[in-house]
Every structure is written in structure tokens, then in C-alpha cells.
Amino acid sequence: MRSAAATVLTRHATTQTLVRDCVYARSWRRRASTTSSSTRNVAIIAHVDHGKTTLLDQLIRSTSEARVEERAMDNMQLEKERGITIAAKYTAVSYKNATLHIVDTPGHADFGGEVERALELVDGALLVVDPFEGVMTQTKFVVRKALQKGLKPLVVLNKVDRDGVTRALCDAVESDLFDLFAAMGADDAQLDFTVVYASARAGVASTSLEEAQKQIVEGNGSVDAILQGVLDHVPAPRGCTQQPFALLVSMIERDPFFGRLVTGRVFDGALGIGDTLKVLTLGDGVVRETVRVQKIFTSRNLERVAVKEAKAGDIVTIAAGFGDATVADTLCSPERREPLPSTPVDPPTLSMTFGVNTSSLAGKEGNQLTERQIEERLRAEADTDVSLRVSDSSDEDGIPGLQVSGRGELHLGIIIEKLRREGFELSVSPPRVIQGIDDEGRRTEPFESVLLECDANDCGGVIDAVTQRKGDLLDMDTNAGEDGRTRLTFYVPSRGLIGFRQEFINATRGNGVMQRAFDSYGPSRGAIGKAKKGKLISTTSGVTTTYSLGALEPRGTLFVGPASEVYAGMIIGEHTRENDLEVNPTKEKKLTNMRASGNDETIRLTPPKVIDLESAIGYVGTDELIEVTPKAIRLRKAELASSMRRRASRQADS
């Protein structure tokens, strides 16, 4: 893994940008004197299943008498269901008369915008690592961003209560971390990181591995070593209370009573209720609007608390009747002229077209149906999600609508899932990558670093599948993953990974592990050949019958079962061959005095293949759409009429 990380960064990272951002961030953080030695702002970083959420629960419990539920910071329903952090959040805890602001960051690169704005709030980073896995691909993305901003990491090796965690293993992980930080351009202070050994499940932490394991056995430990480490190794926020007030906006949210709320860190000055402020745009410093402060809030032990004032170093949420204030704006006193510096957010890499649902079943399952409703909701989402871009569609997909651009399939999938749960119906096009042009006029495309874990017997098939998608194998490490699996590291075009997850699951029989993260833009690699199977397409509208589906089952894999509503142009299954096949799934058995309807009971159908949203995004072809409703995910042809599809096919051939 060490050589893979170094290879990826050496070959593909934009070194000049990295150095510039590092110097820029560090010079800003050194510019003024410390205002408060009793405040610390720290972000917590970890890969999925490395124990970040459990550790956060323990930190809050140890500093508060209030009852804390499990996974308290993951307060969104989708976060609880998927077990991942989607939106950045913050809370404050008290320890030894000090206030510690802890910012929870997503670990998935698709939510990189949340990471980039959350890191503007803090002066240090708490990196939680499973010693059996080390820093995984997606977490490296967040670590790189933290190092670029000059944050010094405090490393927590979690799960030291597991069998097999030894001093030798921990030393090897610490050595790998040192090499990784060095390859990412860390300075001497960042390379001199402190390590805390912990078991979040047991609520134990210590600067000594042996002491931590002893406390776990005895059951008498605490997580104070982590809190003390934050106090000792994370610098106090810098700023000057005598300067005019300045706050950098990092989060936007909406309140039914106060309207738009902005959250950010106070870099200079102090603020009280009733003060007049202006909003400056990033870069040119144009005054966006002038407001008067109505309320100031902070978060303490997961509860929003109103306060009378805020000073340099605080992280606060402000209500002031904002109309246009957004992320990266500067909220400041009227006498201030220059906006605060902010690192630009990385651009989107993937786009889809969102349009009105035009199928025969439209309007039966949702209550938000019109283009105006869809556009208003998407633009409201873009206000709070800095990685999301919404614009008029270029009609590349053959459907009118809005072009929605994001960081990846998961990012856009979460947006679609939010809409369908709110009662929206819409048609969604297949994803396509956003290409660029380099300084020499060559076409470029986004590439990703992909880490795959699989059994040794499956390696050949996996490597062949990724190579066919224009991927390069960078590293192969045997006995590196769980249960002695082989760990493979690839550098792959993002468009080659569209729909690859299901192929990988099939190749490894569901036992493989896949992690991916955006790496850089590189020269386009031309056409990518993918194995393609045809579709079974309904020619009629109606309700499916057991008799008809029984006759169609030998032709392929069905997506619908008996008594399901279908319409002409709807995709009801996957054909065993490469060509599309038009079929009638609603055909009924003709009844005579020699053929009774009771004979249908002998037909035994295989349960239909369930197509969820993430599978559909990677499965649909260029001439197909995803129909999304609150109750169903359906696949369909963009052109529903069979005659029009045949005409388009003849024109394309000619």
C-alpha cells in the first residue's frame, strides 16, 4: 500500500497546486496572535467501520451527563440506514475548563465538498485508523485535504482490543502513516504526529498500547487520553478580538422560523445580537447583502444553544434573515473591506439529467411532479451542497430537464433518494463524466484510485475486468486484507467504473471489498469496451401474468413479478443475448373446456431481480432512463414508442 500511494501521488497529483494551497493555508493560520487558550477546534476523520461514530459517542458521554444515543452525530435518516456520514456536523464539549469543538467529516470522496468546507473550521485533525487496515483509499482523500490546509494530525489507532493487535503491527501502521504523510507533502510538524491507542467500544484510550490493552481487560479505562491529546497538540485558534468582525461561512441550512442559517468560524472580532453585518463574496469582495443579527447559536453536547455573543475562535450558527449568503462568503463588520481567504471546492466529475416523469404510470405514486417543483428543490439543495451544480440541460440525453453535476455515483444517488422520499417523481438519465481540456488543448477526464480486496482465486478475473475498462494496476499486496485476502490498487478512468460495482460483486460472489476516490484529471483514454447484454422490453401496457412471465423466463433475468404494472417501452428484464428483445408480459392464457385456468398453479417463477437505485445508475444504457417514484425504481427506454426506436436505429446505421 505504501508504494501504491506514493506512485499515485507522484504520477498524478498536481504538485504546484498542493504546495500553493499548503503555504496559503499555513500563512493565514500564523498571521495573528492567539485569542483564547481554552478553545480547540478539531475535525475527526476516519474510514467506514473504523469506529469514528462509536468514538464520538464515547467522547460526548465522557464530557456530559446527558444521555447520548448510539451514532448520535449521524442524525440524518439516510446516514443511519447506510452507516456512513453524509453531511458535516459540529458539536462542542467541555473538558478541563476548555471548550472543544469537534467537527464530524464524511469519509467518502463523493462528499468531498462537505470535507473541504468543514476543514475551514478547525486547527487540527483527529485521524481514526483501524490497525488491521491502515488508511484506506477514501480516507486518504480527506487526509490529503487536511494536510494541504496545514492541520496537524493526532492519530488514534482504534480497535486495539481485537486479537492480533501487537506492538509490531502498530509500529508498521505508524511507519506507513509517516510515509503516506511525507508523500502528501506534510511538513516536519505534521510528520511528528502523536499516537493514541484506543478501543471505542470499550471506552478506553491511552498513549501506551500496553496500558490501553490492560485497561480494556480490567474494564477501568476512559477516553481522556484523546481529549488531553487534543488540548496538548491541537493549536488554539488564532485571531484578534480587537479587529473588525469576520466569519467565514462553511455551512448553510434552512430553518422554518428563521429561514436561512449560516454556520462558520469566527476568525476576528466579536459579535452580538443586533449587530449589523455585510456579506462579501469570495475573491472580488462584492457586497452580496447587508443584514442585522437576530440570533446566535452554538452546539453543545449535540444540542443547539442560543448565546449572546461570539468571539474569535468560536464556531457558531447565525440567523439574520439571510437571502443570498452562501458557502465561502465572508460575514463581516461594515468597516471591513477584504473577504477572508478560502480554498476553492474541487469541481464535479459526474453529471446526470433530471427531467419530468413521462411514463404511462406518471402521477400515480408521487405528489411532486412538475418541472418547476423539481427545479426549485434541486436549486435549494445546491444552496447547501457546495459540490452540487444545477444548470439547464444541454439535452445530450434526448430529454429536457436540468443537468445536475456532482462528485460521483453515490453523491448523485443520495440526491435522488432524498427527492423520492419527499414525494417527487422524475426521469433520470445515465451518468456521464465531465471532461476537460488541458493547457495543451488535449481532452482530459477524471481518474480514480480504486482499492479492491478479493480472494486470491478471484484476482485474475478482477484484474482482467478492470484492465478492459482502461485501468492500470499499481500495486498487488497478498495477505493484506481481512482473512488473508489480496489487496489490489488501480488507477482507473471514472467512466470505466460506471456499473463496475455489480460486475465486481458477481466476480467475487459478494465477498469482495471495493473502495474508490477521485485522484486527478488525466489524458482521455478513448473508447472503453464493456460487456453489454440486451434488454427485455414490454410492447404493451397492463398487468403482468404468471403465464406470460413463465414463457419469458428462459429468455433472461426478469425485473418484475406477477401482477406488476408495466407499460410499453418499460424494461422488464435482461436478455441472455446482446440484442434487445420486445416481449408481451401481459399475455393471458386462453381458456377452453380442455385447458383450465387452474393449471397455472404448476408454474414456478424465479423471484425477480430487485433493481435498487445504485444498481440502476450503473446499469442503464445511453438510450435509457431511470424512472424514480416514491414507491418504485423502474428502467425504461428514453423513446417509449417501438416504431420511433427502430427509426432512430436505422438512421444511426445509415
Side-chain angles (χ1 to χ4, degrees):
M1 285 302 300
R2 203 164 36 192
S3 61
T7 303
V8 171
L9 288 166
T10 300
R11 292 178 56 192
H12 309 294
T14 53
T15 306
Q16 293 180 348
T17 303
L18 176 63
V19 172
R20 183 184 70 246
D21 289 346
C22 289
V23 173
Y24 192 53
R26 291 165 183 162
S27 63
W28 169 255
R29 296 182 186 280
R30 290 195 299 264
R31 63 180 247 302
S33 59
T34 302
T35 59
S36 174
S37 60
S38 62
T39 300
R40 298 291 187 275
N41 300 326
V42 62
I44 184 164
I45 301 169
H47 181 69
V48 178
D49 292 333
H50 281 203
K52 178 188 68 171
T53 305
T54 305
L55 182 61
L56 264 172
D57 293 343
Q58 293 287 7
L59 293 176
I60 297 172
R61 288 191 186 103
S62 68
T63 56
S64 171
E65 296 180 356
R67 182 177 179 272
V68 178
E69 299 179 355
E70 290 187 5
R71 301 175 60 190
M73 290 288 277
D74 289 343
N75 50 19
M76 293 173 55
Q77 186 62 33
L78 281 172
E79 290 179 323
K80 293 182 180 296
E81 291 178 6
R82 294 172 180 257
I84 60 175
T85 301
I86 296 174
K89 297 169 282 290
Y90 81 98
T91 192
V93 299
S94 297
Y95 178 73
K96 291 187 175 180
N97 298 321
T99 299
L100 311 182
H101 292 104
I102 302 175
V103 181
D104 188 15
T105 64
H108 200 288
D110 277 22
F111 308 109
E114 296 286 325
V115 174
E116 289 156 347
R117 67 183 187 180
L119 294 180
E120 298 281 6
L121 300 170
V122 299
D123 303 287
L126 201 63
L127 175 59
V128 182
V129 179
D130 184 337
F132 280 101
E133 295 188 343
V135 179
M136 302 295 284
T137 301
Q138 292 169 353
T139 312
K140 289 177 184 176
F141 169 85
V142 187
V143 172
R144 185 189 306 176
K145 292 292 183 182
L147 294 177
Q148 286 178 11
K149 290 186 175 296
L151 305 182
K152 183 177 179 180
L154 172 63
V155 176
V156 178
L157 293 186
N158 193 26
K159 302 186 180 181
V160 298
D161 55 331
R162 296 174 61 184
D163 294 337
V165 177
T166 61
R167 168 53 59 187
L169 175 63
C170 293
D171 288 344
V173 173
E174 293 169 28
S175 177
D176 288 346
L177 287 171
F178 182 92
D179 292 345
L180 178 62
F181 292 171
M184 289 180 172
D187 59 22
D188 292 342
Q190 292 170 324
L191 292 174
D192 186 23
F193 56 85
T194 300
V195 179
V196 177
Y197 307 91
S199 168
R201 182 173 59 180
V204 170
S206 174
T207 54
S208 167
L209 173 63
E210 293 72 22
E211 181 64 25
Q213 292 177 330
K214 178 182 177 182
Q215 292 178 2
I216 292 170
V217 174
E218 296 176 351
N220 59 357
S222 70
V223 293
D224 287 356
I226 297 176
L227 298 170
Q228 188 62 46
V230 172
L231 273 181
D232 295 341
H233 301 288
V234 175
R238 295 180 177 273
C240 183
T241 55
Q242 304 305 316
Q243 294 291 325
F245 176 81
L247 175 145
L248 183 64
V249 179
S250 295
M251 302 179 190
I252 299 289
E253 59 182 301
R254 295 180 180 274
D255 183 89
F257 181 75
F258 292 107
R260 178 174 296 200
L261 303 179
V262 304
T263 298
R265 169 181 168 175
V266 182
F267 279 83
D268 283 319
L271 178 71
I273 296 175
D275 289 352
T276 299
L277 300 174
K278 64 181 181 181
V279 181
L280 300 180
T281 59
L282 177 65
D284 52 18
V286 174
V287 179
R288 191 185 294 273
E289 60 182 324
T290 302
V291 296
R292 185 177 296 275
V293 178
Q294 301 170 359
K295 287 285 186 179
I296 305 173
F297 301 98
T298 189
S299 177
R300 292 176 183 167
N301 299 320
L302 304 175
E303 293 184 359
R304 176 167 285 175
V305 179
V307 295
K308 294 182 179 180
E309 63 175 1
K311 61 182 184 302
D314 290 344
I315 298 176
V316 293
T317 300
I318 299 174
F322 295 102
D324 300 319
T326 188
V327 172
D329 285 350
T330 297
L331 188 62
C332 61
S333 301
E335 61 267 29
R336 193 175 184 110
R337 298 289 181 266
E338 297 295 328
L340 293 169
S342 176
T343 305
V345 174
D346 288 344
T349 60
L350 210 65
S351 69
M352 304 172 74
T353 300
F354 288 39
V356 174
N357 183 15
T358 57
S359 81
S360 302
L361 301 179
K364 293 186 176 182
E365 299 173 355
N367 51 32
Q368 305 284 336
L369 311 174
T370 67
E371 184 176 356
R372 179 186 61 80
Q373 291 172 319
I374 295 173
E375 180 175 2
E376 288 180 354
R377 180 62 183 87
L378 287 173
R379 295 199 183 278
E381 185 70 22
D383 279 345
T384 60
D385 188 341
V386 295
S387 297
L388 195 68
R389 303 285 187 273
V390 180
S391 60
D392 293 335
S393 174
S394 58
D395 205 23
E396 295 180 17
D397 307 292
I399 62 169
L402 297 170
Q403 181 170 300
V404 182
S405 304
R407 287 289 185 86
E409 294 175 58
L410 180 59
H411 183 202
L412 294 175
I414 291 294
I415 302 299
I416 298 171
E417 184 64 28
K418 286 182 179 179
L419 265 61
R420 70 184 293 254
R421 293 188 180 201
E422 294 172 12
F424 283 84
E425 286 192 17
L426 59 155
S427 294
V428 182
S429 75
R432 58 182 180 273
V433 299
I434 300 174
Q435 298 185 332
I437 303 294
D438 63 13
D439 296 337
E440 300 179 2
R442 297 176 302 181
R443 187 177 297 276
T444 61
E445 63 177 324
F447 283 75
E448 299 187 25
S449 177
V450 183
L451 186 147
L452 305 175
E453 285 186 7
C454 59
D455 295 334
N457 295 333
D458 299 327
C459 286
V462 170
I463 293 174
D464 182 62
V466 178
T467 303
Q468 289 182 3
R469 294 169 176 260
K470 303 292 186 179
D472 294 335
L473 177 62
L474 299 179
D475 187 57
M476 181 174 179
D477 193 358
T478 58
N479 298 320
E482 291 283 343
D483 302 323
R485 290 181 293 189
T486 300
R487 182 174 293 171
L488 306 169
T489 306
F490 294 91
Y491 181 71
V492 192
S494 296
R495 61 192 171 98
L497 293 172
I498 296 175
F500 174 70
R501 180 176 292 275
Q502 188 60 48
E503 184 178 345
F504 176 70
I505 291 174
N506 294 338
T508 60
R509 299 172 300 283
N511 295 321
V513 176
M514 177 179 175
Q515 305 295 340
R516 50 188 287 194
F518 171 76
D519 184 87
S520 61
Y521 269 81
S524 179
R525 296 196 171 179
I528 295 177
K530 300 179 183 177
K532 179 182 181 297
K533 289 188 177 181
K535 311 292 171 54
L536 300 178
I537 306 167
S538 176
T539 58
T540 60
S541 299
V543 178
T544 59
T545 64
T546 303
Y547 172 74
S548 181
L549 295 181
L552 294 176
E553 196 170 54
R555 299 294 189 98
T557 303
L558 297 177
F559 300 157
V560 297
S564 299
E565 280 193 283
V566 297
Y567 53 85
M570 177 177 166
I571 298 172
I572 65 164
E574 182 179 74
H575 194 197
T576 54
R577 301 183 180 181
E578 293 185 2
N579 64 297
D580 290 342
L581 182 65
E582 296 186 350
V583 298
N584 181 4
T586 64
K587 186 186 301 183
E588 296 182 355
K589 185 176 181 179
K590 300 300 182 182
L591 304 182
T592 68
N593 58 350
M594 298 295 293
R595 299 165 63 185
S597 60
N599 290 336
D600 281 349
E601 297 176 0
T602 61
I603 299 177
R604 295 292 182 265
L605 294 176
T606 302
K609 180 180 179 181
V610 178
I611 298 292
D612 58 21
L613 182 58
E614 291 185 18
S615 299
I617 290 175
Y619 182 75
V620 290
T622 55
D623 62 338
E624 298 164 359
L625 298 175
I626 307 170
E627 179 188 354
V628 180
T629 74
K631 297 182 179 180
I633 302 293
R634 304 183 184 96
L635 306 182
R636 50 163 285 191
K637 288 293 184 178
E639 177 55 65
L640 296 177
S642 175
S643 59
M644 297 300 293
R645 291 198 301 272
R646 287 195 295 268
R647 177 183 298 179
S649 178
R650 288 194 298 268
Q651 291 176 350
D653 293 339
S654 61

